[in-house]
Amino acid sequence: MYRTKTCGELRLADKGNKVTLSGWVQRTRKMGGMTFVDIRDRYGITQAVFDNSVDAGLCEKANRLGREYVIQLEGTVAERSSKNPALPTGDIEIIAERLNILNASEVPPFTIEDDTDGGDDLRMRYRYLDLRRTCVRNNLELRHRMTMEVRRYLDSKGFLEIETPMLVGSTPEGARDFVVPSRMNPGQFYALPQSPQTLKQLLMVSGMDRYFQIVKCFRDEDLRADRQPEFTQIDCEMSFVEQDDVINLFEGMTRHLFKELRGVELPEKFQRMPWAEAMRLYGSDKPDLRFGMTFVELDGIMKGHGFTVFDNAAYIGGICATGAAHYTRKQLDQLTEFVKRPQIGAKGLVYARVEPDGNVKSSVDKFYTQETLQQMKEAFGAQPGDLILILSGDDAMKTRKMLCELRLEMGRQLGLRDKNKFSCLWVVDFPMFEWSDEEQRLMAMHHPFTHPKDEDIPLLDTDPASVRADAYDMVINGVEVGGGSIRIHDSALQAKMFEILGFTPEKAQEQFGFLMNAFRYGAPPHGGLAYGLDRWVSLFAGLDSIRDCIAFPKNNSGRDVMLDAPAPLEHKQLDELNLKVGIENKQ
């Protein structure tokens, strides 16, 4: 037997017991004639003591241990004279009587500590070592507990967990597909699913009624901190439901997860906000409601006073940062540089301070009377000590998005984005379509199977750009953690949708004939949503990136630096697949 106890479970109640522990050497320390060895496993750390005066040979063997050696030791549990309150096992130690080195280790390339000296690239190359760190392992344990609670909750609501294929057909809408060549069907390709969208709809047609799956999805898109080429969804679908049915059930699941995993009680009902209002007040379809600073439009106040930047703008808007009038000129210049970064794209920033006497001092004083500045102050409801920040531009939507970035940055600087505070919101009534400059046509904002709002269906023939979708996103702390919609279940309406999206009947039949044909055999009204499991876990863990809650993530270039993937194929493999590669592989 390699162990009788783990390295995290011994307490004072075990004093005097003989135990066997196995694990990794965290560190060794020599003090006089004593050697102290911290042994670590997934469950914790326990200190072992080797006494040179009792067994010099055993103590010398302990002195030769290196970091990350795998060892087994036997001994007796004793009370520590110098207790360590930072460790659950800090009241005891093991008086070692036997030591067995199970496997020696080279010196690891970085320290296996929470505060490690390893950079991102190094830790990802040796991810199996990084996963030994308590902080990373805790994220995976949280992920495990979350999936168990999701399954428990959905099972209690009558959902069936059903797997769908990983090798499917490619679809033209949405992000780029990852494609897989078929050796048995030369010149033809599978795609890895971006989601099980059409498949779960077919499950509703088949009468399964309530389906879920914790499923891998794949999108070949540019990466950032909250994106990976492969990610995991909690994918759900329900029959005979309307929007309120879906929202109410999954509000319940959200409250359940927060209570069970974080001990947080959420409100009985989450706020709902139309997409148009979210964009008008926050410049984002995923607003962070942990703090205020809603946008105020100033066109009627600030135009026509000779400041050409504002006079020629299509949109003028600002935010009021409570109590931030103390910002120095250097800090304000830094904010100006922040909004002028290429990622944001503003041309400049106008600011105004509300002085203790109520007067307003702005960076454009020469263009405005105090009377006009007071009108601006009243529009914000600003008080003495507040700071007003204003952006303008020739495109209202783009300028709102710039102002959104400024609002989030001010929230960060003023400490208003507390990771232990949670604000939950449903954004509803999304536009059905958005215009693509690249494609020069309307594209589905979500996907082509989203049902339009019933009252907007007549607009499909006259003004499709104004049609709203029966779609909904759950947003927590400015992060879209999930979203979905009521689906189209009528063949004629689905055909109309494909027509608006530029599909010929032949192309629609080629790409989605299996779904349209299924609808002819009695499809029920249905809808659902998908949560991003990786984002859920990172939110609960207080992480800025989803990478540390995924066991083996890719870097920002989509590479697995540990496996060195993707990599070229040998010519023999290419020949078997009937493929020719335009870029010459250096093999």
Side-chain angles (χ1 to χ4, degrees), residues 283-571:
S284 171
D285 58 5
K286 46 181 184 294
D288 187 343
L289 300 189
R290 284 174 293 180
F291 62 102
M293 288 194 221
T294 53
F295 297 177
V296 174
E297 296 184 12
L298 301 167
D299 301 45
I301 298 174
M302 306 304 284
K303 275 191 173 183
H305 296 274
F307 183 44
T308 55
V309 172
F310 283 176
D311 291 345
N312 297 332
Y315 174 87
I316 308 167
I319 56 174
C320 179
T322 303
H326 63 273
Y327 266 46
T328 64
R329 180 57 185 268
K330 180 180 179 182
Q331 287 175 298
L332 292 167
D333 287 345
Q334 288 172 342
L335 284 177
T336 302
E337 291 306 309
F338 172 80
V339 299
K340 289 169 70 174
R341 294 187 309 168
Q343 304 95 307
I344 299 175
K347 293 181 179 178
L349 172 69
V350 170
Y351 61 86
R353 295 188 181 91
V354 183
E355 303 287 306
D357 61 4
N359 283 333
V360 178
K361 181 73 175 172
S362 84
S363 57
V364 289
D365 274 350
K366 65 180 180 179
F367 297 101
Y368 296 97
T369 65
Q370 189 61 215
E371 181 182 358
T372 302
L373 294 175
Q374 287 295 320
Q375 291 177 7
M376 178 190 72
K377 181 183 84 171
E378 292 302 317
F380 284 99
Q383 301 296 319
D386 291 349
L387 176 68
I388 294 169
L389 301 170
I390 305 170
L391 294 179
S392 64
D394 55 11
D395 183 300
M397 194 61 75
K398 288 182 180 178
T399 308
R400 287 190 183 104
K401 291 178 179 178
M402 297 172 188
L403 196 55
C404 170
E405 295 297 328
L406 178 61
R407 174 182 178 268
L408 294 174
E409 175 63 15
M410 288 305 297
R412 185 191 67 79
Q413 291 190 15
L414 296 173
L416 303 175
R417 303 178 71 183
D418 183 354
K419 290 182 178 179
N420 292 310
K421 179 181 178 182
F422 300 97
S423 179
C424 303
L425 166 74
W426 288 102
V427 177
V428 297
D429 296 350
F430 283 83
M432 190 78 190
F433 306 103
E434 56 186 345
W435 181 257
S436 168
D437 290 330
E438 182 180 347
E439 297 276 343
Q440 285 296 296
R441 65 179 178 92
L442 288 174
M443 303 279 283
M445 179 169 271
H446 284 79
H447 53 67
F449 317 107
T450 302
H451 198 285
K453 303 287 283 188
D454 285 334
E455 59 268 33
D456 289 356
I457 289 177
L459 295 173
L460 290 171
D461 291 314
T462 59
D463 187 13
S466 297
V467 175
R468 294 168 300 159
D470 206 350
Y472 32 84
D473 280 358
M474 181 181 281
V475 177
I476 303 180
N477 294 358
V479 176
E480 177 202 329
V481 295
S485 68
I486 299 303
R487 323 300 188 190
I488 295 171
H489 64 279
D490 176 77
S491 296
L493 182 57
Q494 187 65 72
K496 166 63 78 175
M497 195 63 57
F498 286 141
E499 178 187 335
I500 293 171
L501 293 170
F503 286 76
T504 64
E506 295 76 19
K507 189 68 174 176
Q509 185 66 30
E510 177 188 334
Q511 294 285 346
F512 302 109
F514 63 93
L515 184 66
M516 298 172 73
N517 291 340
F519 284 174
R520 293 160 50 197
Y521 293 96
H526 59 285
L529 84 171
Y531 284 117
L533 176 63
D534 312 299
R535 289 186 184 180
W536 267 113
V537 178
S538 64
L539 179 77
F540 274 51
L543 303 172
D544 294 320
S545 166
I546 65 172
R547 287 203 314 210
D548 275 342
C549 63
I550 298 173
F552 298 103
K554 309 290 189 293
N555 67 13
N556 287 342
S557 299
R559 292 197 63 82
D560 185 322
V561 294
M562 181 184 71
L563 300 177
D564 194 24
L569 293 180
E570 294 182 358
H571 287 297

Side-chain angles (χ1 to χ4, degrees), residues 5-6 8-12 14 19 21 46 77 88-89 92 94:
K5 297 288 184 179
T6 70
E9 66 178 303
L10 294 171
R11 301 293 187 268
L12 268 179
D14 298 295
V19 296
L21 303 183
T46 298
V77 181
T89 59
I92 60 93
I94 307 299

Side-chain angles (χ1 to χ4, degrees), residues 26 40 67-68 108 110-114 129 132-133:
Q26 181 73 19
R40 180 197 75 241
R67 283 191 294 135
E68 302 306 310
F110 54 88
T111 55
I112 313 298
E113 303 274 2
D114 284 0
L129 297 180
R132 294 181 187 175
R133 296 167 59 224

